[in-house]
Amino acid sequence: APGAQVPLRAARTALVAEDSITARIFLARLLTRQGFDVRTVDTAAALRGELERGGWTLTCVDIELPDETGAAFLTGLVTRHGARTVFIALVRDAEDRAAARRVGIERMLRKPFDQQELEMVLGRLGLLATRA
């Protein structure tokens, strides 16, 4: 049948937790272009709520949200939800990268976000949009 290669769109969901409105909108747009169904939140509390509901392929998390920040915050997320979603840390500098690595998050996107970097990370995860 024609179109047998079409991926299940419903299975491609991305949750973006980022408190900068411009960064949030830009990353959401990049992910939407990659075929993801995107929901954005701007606090750790809202992020937790969405993660509890579940069903996220990908979770992009700013490691400094207004209501929670740092290693303990990330460890809790990874411990509780790491088996059900792939975490990508949104980082500013080497210090942020080190904090993400300490809790076992190996995949990162540097701010300001870059389409090529995102495509590289998605490619490694096997989540890059297949172009016709």
Side-chain angles (χ1 to χ4, degrees), residues 69-123:
T69 184
F73 158 57
L74 291 176
T75 303
L77 293 180
V78 173
T79 304
R80 192 163 169 82
H81 304 284
R84 292 197 304 267
T85 185
V86 173
F87 281 100
I88 295 178
L90 307 178
V91 300
R92 282 177 197 83
D93 52 30
E95 202 177 307
D96 284 358
R97 282 181 186 277
R101 282 212 181 87
R102 271 199 303 277
V103 303
I105 299 178
E106 286 301 322
R107 296 176 184 91
M108 303 174 208
L109 287 174
R110 195 183 57 245
K111 298 178 191 189
F113 304 120
D114 173 80
Q115 185 170 347
Q116 281 167 315
E117 190 185 7
L118 175 66
E119 287 176 5
M120 227 166 57
V121 171
L122 292 177

Side-chain angles (χ1 to χ4, degrees), residues 15-35:
L15 179 57
V16 174
E18 164 62 69
D19 60 321
S20 154
I21 189 162
T22 45
R24 193 165 65 236
I25 290 168
F26 184 65
L27 182 54
R29 199 171 290 151
L30 290 179
L31 286 162
T32 300
R33 259 187 232 143
Q34 287 294 327

Side-chain angles (χ1 to χ4, degrees), residues 7 28 34 36 38 44 47 51-52 56 73 78 82 98 102 117 125 130:
Q34 287 294 327
F36 284 89
V38 184
L47 170 63
L51 286 170
E52 288 300 329
W56 301 104
F73 158 57
V78 173
R102 271 199 303 277
E117 190 185 7
L125 291 168
T130 46

